[in-house]
Amino acid sequence: MTSWVDIPKDSDFSIYNLPFGIFSVGNGNKKMGIAIGDQIVDVYAIAEQGYFKELTVDKGAFVTDYLNDFIDLGKPVTNAVRLKVQDLLSDKNHSLLDQTKVLVPQSEAQMHLPVLIGDYTDFYSSIEHATNVGKIFRDPENALLPNWKHLPVGYHGRSSSILVSGQNVYRPKGQVMLPEAKDPVFQPSSKVDFELEMGFIIGKNSRIGESIKTSHAEDYIFGKVLFNDWSARDIQKWEYVPLGPFLGKSFASSMSPWIVTLEALEPFKVQGPEQNPEVLPYLTYSGQKNYDIHLEVGITPKNGEENIVSKSNFKYMYWNVAQQLAHHTSNGCNMKVGDVLASGTVSGKEENSYGSMLELAWGGKKPITLSNGEKRKFIEDFDSVTMRGYCEKDSIRVGFGEVTAQVLPAIN
Ligand code: CA
């Protein structure tokens, strides 16, 4: 399938992708958009021309601050809209749409957070990451805690501080225990880190008391985004016992603006790693539930060029999204449209595939040298961190674009 839209080679936004987002131009209203090449399809403009008449969706639904209400219409409707747009953008329908009314250059638009996020949960599902952190923070001999292979460990995060790509992050302040010190001090974190993650967006409500089976999990997932779970390692290390992450995490997380649908990702499913010991029955699954998504992280220092510091892949994850959702609802906890569930740091086996500075620079013992000669153990003020992700198979590319943010000095 080819499109009449001019799509740059290696664009993440091929006609097979068509992810959903929220955009605005100038002081205009926020609207729902679909990315193609380096353009945005203004879905409202297509609706105005009557192309969604057979669907039970009013054109007013496409002028909106968030995608929640659209997603809540359900996959039969959201998939039909996406497939109709795909049909209209294909070569055979070159003459149907007025290009000047329907396409907006991405360079002229501002992207916004695509969903109003009610709840945010973060998992810890990479065995390589959990093992590395266990070695650095605790005990190299017993890096994985006894529960890790029996359940997808997670915690409830903070949704109010989830930012869209391009929004800057302030260095957090907090209590830290300095080496050799007896008492903690309050100061700006000196160990600001990124965590390379993928998030998924809940696409269907579940009821209180209901548990979602792994075989039904995909009905409840609208799509995926890139996710940077910013972390302050010094604050985290001092505060996390015994209840887990708190202020070392809640100051900010960043996500990419385009939600790539599960339907667009379907061709890129792969088998996950073997799980041993065997999991309890409610966590068993059949079929391919992992996704082959190439991931990378770049650090751009102030007035410098970008340095790619990690290349990883989402397929390495030990626990898959179906298991995460089944576990999260196993106690009857309900899910709501727009909730974000993030994967946990995606680390691979190789040292250059680790998904955080904590691991890449091994707790500060192996600093990374940037192309400008500067060294990094963690993220410095004015560094920008950019994450990218894409799938590719049979010359078809489906990607996520990027999530980027610059770290600014702490506010006094
Ligand atoms: Ca995390």
Short mmCIF file of all heavy atoms in Angstrom, two decimals, residues 98-140:
data_model
loop_
_atom_site.label_atom_id
_atom_site.label_comp_id
_atom_site.label_asym_id
_atom_site.label_seq_id
_atom_site.Cartn_x
_atom_site.Cartn_y
_atom_site.Cartn_z
N ASP A 98 -9.23 17.21 -0.10
CA ASP A 98 -8.57 18.48 -0.41
C ASP A 98 -7.36 18.60 0.51
O ASP A 98 -7.48 18.87 1.70
CB ASP A 98 -9.55 19.63 -0.16
CG ASP A 98 -8.91 20.98 -0.48
OD1 ASP A 98 -7.67 21.05 -0.62
OD2 ASP A 98 -9.66 21.96 -0.56
N GLN A 99 -6.17 18.36 -0.05
CA GLN A 99 -4.94 18.28 0.72
C GLN A 99 -4.72 19.53 1.58
O GLN A 99 -4.27 19.45 2.71
CB GLN A 99 -3.76 18.08 -0.23
CG GLN A 99 -2.44 17.87 0.45
CD GLN A 99 -1.37 17.41 -0.54
OE1 GLN A 99 -1.69 16.88 -1.60
NE2 GLN A 99 -0.13 17.62 -0.20
N THR A 100 -5.05 20.68 1.02
CA THR A 100 -4.78 21.93 1.74
C THR A 100 -5.64 22.05 3.00
O THR A 100 -5.28 22.74 3.95
CB THR A 100 -5.06 23.15 0.85
OG1 THR A 100 -6.42 23.08 0.41
CG2 THR A 100 -4.12 23.17 -0.34
N LYS A 101 -6.78 21.36 3.03
CA LYS A 101 -7.65 21.46 4.22
C LYS A 101 -7.36 20.37 5.24
O LYS A 101 -7.64 20.52 6.42
CB LYS A 101 -9.12 21.34 3.78
CG LYS A 101 -9.63 22.57 3.04
CD LYS A 101 -11.14 22.54 2.96
CE LYS A 101 -11.65 23.81 2.31
NZ LYS A 101 -12.63 23.55 1.26
N VAL A 102 -6.82 19.25 4.77
CA VAL A 102 -6.75 18.06 5.61
C VAL A 102 -5.37 17.86 6.25
O VAL A 102 -5.25 17.31 7.33
CB VAL A 102 -7.15 16.82 4.78
CG1 VAL A 102 -6.78 15.54 5.48
CG2 VAL A 102 -8.64 16.86 4.49
N LEU A 103 -4.31 18.33 5.59
CA LEU A 103 -2.96 18.08 6.09
C LEU A 103 -2.36 19.33 6.76
O LEU A 103 -2.45 20.43 6.22
CB LEU A 103 -2.03 17.64 4.95
CG LEU A 103 -2.33 16.27 4.32
CD1 LEU A 103 -1.27 15.95 3.27
CD2 LEU A 103 -2.38 15.16 5.37
N VAL A 104 -1.75 19.11 7.90
CA VAL A 104 -1.06 20.16 8.64
C VAL A 104 0.39 19.72 8.82
O VAL A 104 0.62 18.61 9.34
CB VAL A 104 -1.69 20.37 10.04
CG1 VAL A 104 -0.93 21.41 10.84
CG2 VAL A 104 -3.17 20.74 9.91
N PRO A 105 1.39 20.52 8.41
CA PRO A 105 2.78 20.09 8.64
C PRO A 105 3.05 19.95 10.14
O PRO A 105 2.66 20.82 10.93
CB PRO A 105 3.62 21.22 8.05
CG PRO A 105 2.69 21.95 7.12
CD PRO A 105 1.32 21.80 7.70
N GLN A 106 3.71 18.86 10.52
CA GLN A 106 4.02 18.67 11.95
C GLN A 106 4.87 19.82 12.49
O GLN A 106 4.77 20.18 13.66
CB GLN A 106 4.73 17.33 12.16
CG GLN A 106 3.79 16.14 12.03
CD GLN A 106 4.48 14.80 12.11
OE1 GLN A 106 5.58 14.68 12.66
NE2 GLN A 106 3.85 13.78 11.56
N SER A 107 5.68 20.40 11.61
CA SER A 107 6.56 21.49 12.05
C SER A 107 5.77 22.74 12.45
O SER A 107 6.28 23.60 13.16
CB SER A 107 7.56 21.83 10.94
OG SER A 107 6.86 22.20 9.76
N GLU A 108 4.53 22.85 11.99
CA GLU A 108 3.71 24.04 12.32
C GLU A 108 2.76 23.78 13.48
O GLU A 108 2.04 24.67 13.91
CB GLU A 108 2.89 24.46 11.09
CG GLU A 108 3.76 25.01 9.98
CD GLU A 108 2.95 25.32 8.72
OE1 GLU A 108 1.70 25.39 8.80
OE2 GLU A 108 3.59 25.48 7.67
N ALA A 109 2.73 22.54 13.98
CA ALA A 109 1.75 22.18 15.00
C ALA A 109 2.42 22.00 16.35
O ALA A 109 3.62 21.70 16.44
CB ALA A 109 1.04 20.89 14.62
N GLN A 110 1.64 22.19 17.39
CA GLN A 110 2.10 21.86 18.73
C GLN A 110 1.38 20.60 19.18
O GLN A 110 0.17 20.48 19.02
CB GLN A 110 1.81 23.00 19.71
CG GLN A 110 2.43 22.73 21.05
CD GLN A 110 2.18 23.84 22.06
OE1 GLN A 110 1.62 24.88 21.75
NE2 GLN A 110 2.58 23.59 23.29
N MET A 111 2.14 19.66 19.74
CA MET A 111 1.54 18.42 20.23
C MET A 111 1.27 18.54 21.73
O MET A 111 1.99 19.21 22.45
CB MET A 111 2.46 17.23 19.97
CG MET A 111 2.74 16.94 18.50
SD MET A 111 1.25 16.72 17.50
CE MET A 111 0.52 15.26 18.29
N HIS A 112 0.19 17.87 22.16
CA HIS A 112 -0.20 17.90 23.56
C HIS A 112 -0.30 16.48 24.11
O HIS A 112 -0.28 15.51 23.36
CB HIS A 112 -1.56 18.60 23.68
CG HIS A 112 -1.57 19.97 23.07
ND1 HIS A 112 -1.13 21.09 23.73
CD2 HIS A 112 -1.91 20.38 21.82
CE1 HIS A 112 -1.23 22.14 22.94
NE2 HIS A 112 -1.69 21.74 21.77
N LEU A 113 -0.44 16.42 25.44
CA LEU A 113 -0.65 15.11 26.06
C LEU A 113 -1.89 14.48 25.42
O LEU A 113 -2.95 15.11 25.40
CB LEU A 113 -0.84 15.29 27.57
CG LEU A 113 -0.41 14.18 28.50
CD1 LEU A 113 1.06 13.83 28.32
CD2 LEU A 113 -0.68 14.59 29.94
N PRO A 114 -1.80 13.26 24.88
CA PRO A 114 -2.94 12.74 24.09
C PRO A 114 -4.14 12.29 24.93
O PRO A 114 -5.25 12.27 24.42
CB PRO A 114 -2.32 11.54 23.34
CG PRO A 114 -1.13 11.14 24.13
CD PRO A 114 -0.62 12.38 24.80
N VAL A 115 -3.91 11.89 26.16
CA VAL A 115 -5.02 11.45 27.01
C VAL A 115 -4.97 12.15 28.37
O VAL A 115 -3.90 12.54 28.84
CB VAL A 115 -5.01 9.91 27.25
CG1 VAL A 115 -5.56 9.17 26.04
CG2 VAL A 115 -3.63 9.41 27.63
N LEU A 116 -6.15 12.29 28.97
CA LEU A 116 -6.22 12.72 30.37
C LEU A 116 -5.97 11.47 31.19
O LEU A 116 -6.77 10.52 31.15
CB LEU A 116 -7.61 13.31 30.66
CG LEU A 116 -7.82 13.88 32.06
CD1 LEU A 116 -6.88 15.05 32.34
CD2 LEU A 116 -9.27 14.31 32.25
N ILE A 117 -4.85 11.47 31.91
CA ILE A 117 -4.41 10.24 32.57
C ILE A 117 -4.95 10.21 33.99
O ILE A 117 -4.58 11.04 34.82
CB ILE A 117 -2.87 10.16 32.58
CG1 ILE A 117 -2.33 10.28 31.15
CG2 ILE A 117 -2.40 8.87 33.25
CD1 ILE A 117 -0.83 10.54 31.08
N GLY A 118 -5.84 9.25 34.26
CA GLY A 118 -6.38 9.11 35.60
C GLY A 118 -5.36 8.49 36.53
O GLY A 118 -4.96 9.08 37.53
N ASP A 119 -4.92 7.33 36.16
CA ASP A 119 -3.96 6.61 36.99
C ASP A 119 -2.76 6.16 36.16
O ASP A 119 -2.88 5.88 34.98
CB ASP A 119 -4.61 5.35 37.60
CG ASP A 119 -5.34 5.67 38.89
OD1 ASP A 119 -4.67 6.16 39.84
OD2 ASP A 119 -6.56 5.46 38.96
N TYR A 120 -1.63 6.13 36.83
CA TYR A 120 -0.39 5.69 36.18
C TYR A 120 0.27 4.64 37.06
O TYR A 120 0.47 4.84 38.26
CB TYR A 120 0.53 6.90 35.97
CG TYR A 120 2.01 6.59 35.88
CD1 TYR A 120 2.49 5.60 35.02
CD2 TYR A 120 2.94 7.28 36.67
CE1 TYR A 120 3.85 5.32 34.94
CE2 TYR A 120 4.29 7.01 36.60
CZ TYR A 120 4.74 6.03 35.74
OH TYR A 120 6.08 5.74 35.67
N THR A 121 0.56 3.50 36.46
CA THR A 121 1.24 2.41 37.15
C THR A 121 2.55 2.13 36.44
O THR A 121 2.59 2.16 35.21
CB THR A 121 0.36 1.13 37.12
OG1 THR A 121 -0.87 1.40 37.78
CG2 THR A 121 1.06 -0.04 37.82
N ASP A 122 3.59 1.86 37.19
CA ASP A 122 4.87 1.52 36.57
C ASP A 122 5.30 0.13 37.02
O ASP A 122 5.33 -0.17 38.21
CB ASP A 122 5.93 2.55 36.99
CG ASP A 122 7.18 2.46 36.11
OD1 ASP A 122 7.06 2.03 34.95
OD2 ASP A 122 8.26 2.83 36.60
N PHE A 123 5.60 -0.70 36.03
CA PHE A 123 6.08 -2.06 36.34
C PHE A 123 7.61 -2.08 36.37
O PHE A 123 8.27 -1.04 36.27
CB PHE A 123 5.50 -3.05 35.31
CG PHE A 123 4.05 -3.33 35.53
CD1 PHE A 123 3.07 -2.64 34.81
CD2 PHE A 123 3.65 -4.25 36.47
CE1 PHE A 123 1.72 -2.89 35.03
CE2 PHE A 123 2.30 -4.51 36.69
CZ PHE A 123 1.35 -3.83 35.97
N TYR A 124 8.13 -3.27 36.48
CA TYR A 124 9.58 -3.47 36.71
C TYR A 124 9.91 -4.80 36.04
O TYR A 124 10.37 -5.72 36.67
CB TYR A 124 9.77 -3.52 38.23
CG TYR A 124 11.16 -3.49 38.79
CD1 TYR A 124 12.05 -2.48 38.46
CD2 TYR A 124 11.57 -4.47 39.70
CE1 TYR A 124 13.32 -2.46 39.03
CE2 TYR A 124 12.83 -4.44 40.27
CZ TYR A 124 13.69 -3.43 39.93
OH TYR A 124 14.95 -3.39 40.51
N SER A 125 9.60 -4.89 34.73
CA SER A 125 9.42 -6.19 34.09
C SER A 125 10.58 -6.69 33.25
O SER A 125 10.47 -7.72 32.59
CB SER A 125 8.15 -6.16 33.23
OG SER A 125 7.01 -6.15 34.05
N SER A 126 11.70 -5.97 33.25
CA SER A 126 12.89 -6.47 32.54
C SER A 126 13.78 -7.19 33.54
O SER A 126 14.23 -6.61 34.54
CB SER A 126 13.65 -5.30 31.91
OG SER A 126 15.03 -5.62 31.76
N ILE A 127 14.05 -8.46 33.26
CA ILE A 127 14.88 -9.24 34.19
C ILE A 127 16.30 -8.71 34.20
O ILE A 127 16.97 -8.70 35.25
CB ILE A 127 14.83 -10.75 33.84
CG1 ILE A 127 15.39 -11.58 35.00
CG2 ILE A 127 15.56 -11.08 32.54
CD1 ILE A 127 15.06 -13.06 34.90
N GLU A 128 16.76 -8.20 33.06
CA GLU A 128 18.12 -7.65 33.01
C GLU A 128 18.21 -6.38 33.88
O GLU A 128 19.15 -6.20 34.65
CB GLU A 128 18.51 -7.32 31.56
CG GLU A 128 18.76 -8.55 30.69
CD GLU A 128 17.49 -9.19 30.11
OE1 GLU A 128 16.40 -8.58 30.26
OE2 GLU A 128 17.58 -10.27 29.52
N HIS A 129 17.18 -5.51 33.77
CA HIS A 129 17.19 -4.27 34.57
C HIS A 129 17.08 -4.59 36.07
O HIS A 129 17.84 -4.06 36.88
CB HIS A 129 16.05 -3.36 34.14
CG HIS A 129 15.87 -2.16 35.02
ND1 HIS A 129 16.78 -1.12 35.04
CD2 HIS A 129 14.90 -1.83 35.92
CE1 HIS A 129 16.37 -0.20 35.91
NE2 HIS A 129 15.24 -0.60 36.46
N ALA A 130 16.14 -5.46 36.41
CA ALA A 130 15.94 -5.78 37.83
C ALA A 130 17.19 -6.42 38.42
O ALA A 130 17.57 -6.14 39.57
CB ALA A 130 14.73 -6.70 38.00
N THR A 131 17.86 -7.25 37.63
CA THR A 131 19.09 -7.88 38.10
C THR A 131 20.20 -6.84 38.27
O THR A 131 20.89 -6.82 39.29
CB THR A 131 19.55 -8.97 37.10
OG1 THR A 131 18.48 -9.90 36.92
CG2 THR A 131 20.77 -9.71 37.60
N ASN A 132 20.35 -5.96 37.29
CA ASN A 132 21.39 -4.93 37.39
C ASN A 132 21.16 -4.02 38.60
O ASN A 132 22.10 -3.73 39.35
CB ASN A 132 21.40 -4.07 36.11
CG ASN A 132 21.99 -4.82 34.92
OD1 ASN A 132 22.74 -5.78 35.10
ND2 ASN A 132 21.64 -4.39 33.72
N VAL A 133 19.91 -3.57 38.78
CA VAL A 133 19.62 -2.66 39.90
C VAL A 133 19.85 -3.38 41.23
O VAL A 133 20.39 -2.80 42.17
CB VAL A 133 18.17 -2.12 39.80
CG1 VAL A 133 17.80 -1.34 41.07
CG2 VAL A 133 18.04 -1.21 38.58
N GLY A 134 19.45 -4.65 41.29
CA GLY A 134 19.68 -5.44 42.50
C GLY A 134 21.17 -5.53 42.82
O GLY A 134 21.57 -5.41 43.99
N LYS A 135 21.98 -5.72 41.78
CA LYS A 135 23.43 -5.80 42.00
C LYS A 135 24.00 -4.47 42.49
O LYS A 135 24.85 -4.43 43.37
CB LYS A 135 24.14 -6.19 40.69
CG LYS A 135 23.99 -7.65 40.31
CD LYS A 135 24.73 -7.90 38.98
CE LYS A 135 24.57 -9.34 38.54
NZ LYS A 135 25.10 -9.55 37.18
N ILE A 136 23.53 -3.36 41.88
CA ILE A 136 24.10 -2.05 42.21
C ILE A 136 23.59 -1.55 43.58
O ILE A 136 24.35 -1.02 44.38
CB ILE A 136 23.75 -1.01 41.11
CG1 ILE A 136 24.42 -1.41 39.78
CG2 ILE A 136 24.17 0.40 41.51
CD1 ILE A 136 23.91 -0.65 38.56
N PHE A 137 22.28 -1.72 43.84
CA PHE A 137 21.67 -1.15 45.04
C PHE A 137 21.76 -2.07 46.26
O PHE A 137 21.76 -1.61 47.38
CB PHE A 137 20.18 -0.83 44.78
CG PHE A 137 19.91 0.60 44.36
CD1 PHE A 137 20.92 1.42 43.87
CD2 PHE A 137 18.63 1.13 44.45
CE1 PHE A 137 20.66 2.72 43.48
CE2 PHE A 137 18.37 2.44 44.06
CZ PHE A 137 19.38 3.23 43.58
N ARG A 138 21.77 -3.40 46.02
CA ARG A 138 21.63 -4.30 47.16
C ARG A 138 22.75 -5.33 47.22
O ARG A 138 23.84 -5.03 47.70
CB ARG A 138 20.26 -5.00 47.13
CG ARG A 138 19.09 -4.10 47.51
CD ARG A 138 17.82 -4.92 47.70
NE ARG A 138 17.61 -5.83 46.56
CZ ARG A 138 16.96 -5.49 45.44
NH1 ARG A 138 16.44 -4.31 45.33
NH2 ARG A 138 16.83 -6.35 44.46
N ASP A 139 22.46 -6.52 46.71
CA ASP A 139 23.36 -7.65 46.93
C ASP A 139 23.64 -8.36 45.61
O ASP A 139 22.73 -8.97 45.04
CB ASP A 139 22.67 -8.60 47.94
CG ASP A 139 23.48 -9.87 48.17
OD1 ASP A 139 24.62 -9.96 47.66
OD2 ASP A 139 22.97 -10.76 48.87
N PRO A 140 24.88 -8.30 45.13
CA PRO A 140 25.20 -8.95 43.85
C PRO A 140 24.88 -10.45 43.84
O PRO A 140 24.58 -11.01 42.79
CB PRO A 140 26.71 -8.72 43.68
CG PRO A 140 27.03 -7.57 44.56
CD PRO A 140 26.05 -7.64 45.71
#
